[in-house]
Amino acid sequence: MASALELDRRERLTHWWRLRTRAERAMLVAAASLFAALLVWLMVWLPIQGDIARLTRELGAQRAALAQARIQADALAGLERMTPAPVREVRAAVDLALAQSGIKASAIDRTGDDLRVTLDGVSFNALTSLLESLQRDAALRVVDLTAAARVEPGMVRAELTLRR
């Protein structure tokens, strides 16, 4: 039954098309072509143009980010080539870093390969500078850090464990 309807519709469309004059057929083909071109323009060309404009705007920011990443990668490569001055005694390196930072430790204890340092009152900024200098100059890294805020703004009580 459905195929009879399809045949009937196809036959009606074919009959309708044959009844049109040559000029009418040309006009219908031209209108259909214009509609197809308009559809392609709206569905394909305009989105492509919008994406090109957006990507062009983002390109500058992407290039700046790439340049910054290259600078940072070069800086990291330079850090890898730098070898810290060998310090034989870990305690001497910590004492030197503390003296240079102007920080007094309340206790320094050795536990195996680790060195446990307690700082009763130190500014957070000074603590981060101390940790950076220990890493950079003495190749000591923090394996455990506990920092508790003090009453004074920006001050902490810190207990840290250092290891080479």
Side-chain angles (χ1 to χ4, degrees):
M1 180 96 179
S3 62
L5 280 177
E6 284 182 25
L7 227 53
D8 192 31
R9 286 181 187 164
R10 185 188 294 166
E11 287 175 4
R12 278 191 277 157
L13 184 61
T14 305
H15 181 66
W16 177 83
W17 182 255
R18 287 183 184 154
L19 289 177
R20 304 293 137 223
T21 64
R22 181 174 221 122
E24 287 176 330
R25 287 182 192 169
M27 186 73 92
L28 286 171
V29 168
S33 299
L34 183 63
F35 179 73
L38 179 67
L39 195 62
V40 166
W41 184 71
L42 286 173
M43 302 295 281
V44 177
W45 186 254
L46 284 181
I48 288 175
Q49 290 300 313
D51 288 343
I52 289 172
R54 179 183 52 82
L55 291 172
T56 302
R57 285 190 307 267
E58 291 175 0
L59 184 61
Q62 300 264 335
R63 284 186 175 156
L66 177 62
Q68 182 65 29
R70 286 183 175 157
I71 290 170
Q72 290 174 349
D74 291 342
L76 285 174
L79 287 176
E80 286 178 356
R81 286 189 295 271
M82 288 178 33
T83 56
V87 176
R88 294 190 180 235
E89 180 58 39
V90 176
R91 173 71 187 254
V94 171
D95 287 339
L96 179 64
L98 287 170
Q100 288 175 347
S101 300
I103 300 172
K104 291 196 175 212
S106 59
I108 300 177
D109 301 317
R110 185 168 200 106
T111 311
D113 292 338
D114 297 342
L115 198 64
R116 183 120 178 114
V117 181
T118 303
L119 308 169
D120 276 337
V122 63
S123 76
F124 189 76
N125 291 338
L127 177 63
T128 56
S129 296
L130 172 69
L131 297 178
E132 180 184 4
S133 69
L134 286 170
Q135 172 72 33
R136 181 186 62 239
D137 300 335
L140 291 171
R141 60 187 168 90
V142 177
V143 292
D144 184 35
L145 172 67
T146 304
R150 306 242 337 179
V151 174
E152 304 89 17
M155 299 295 282
V156 295
R157 179 183 190 286
E159 295 178 2
L160 49 123
T161 305
L162 300 168
R163 186 178 296 159
R164 195 166 275 205

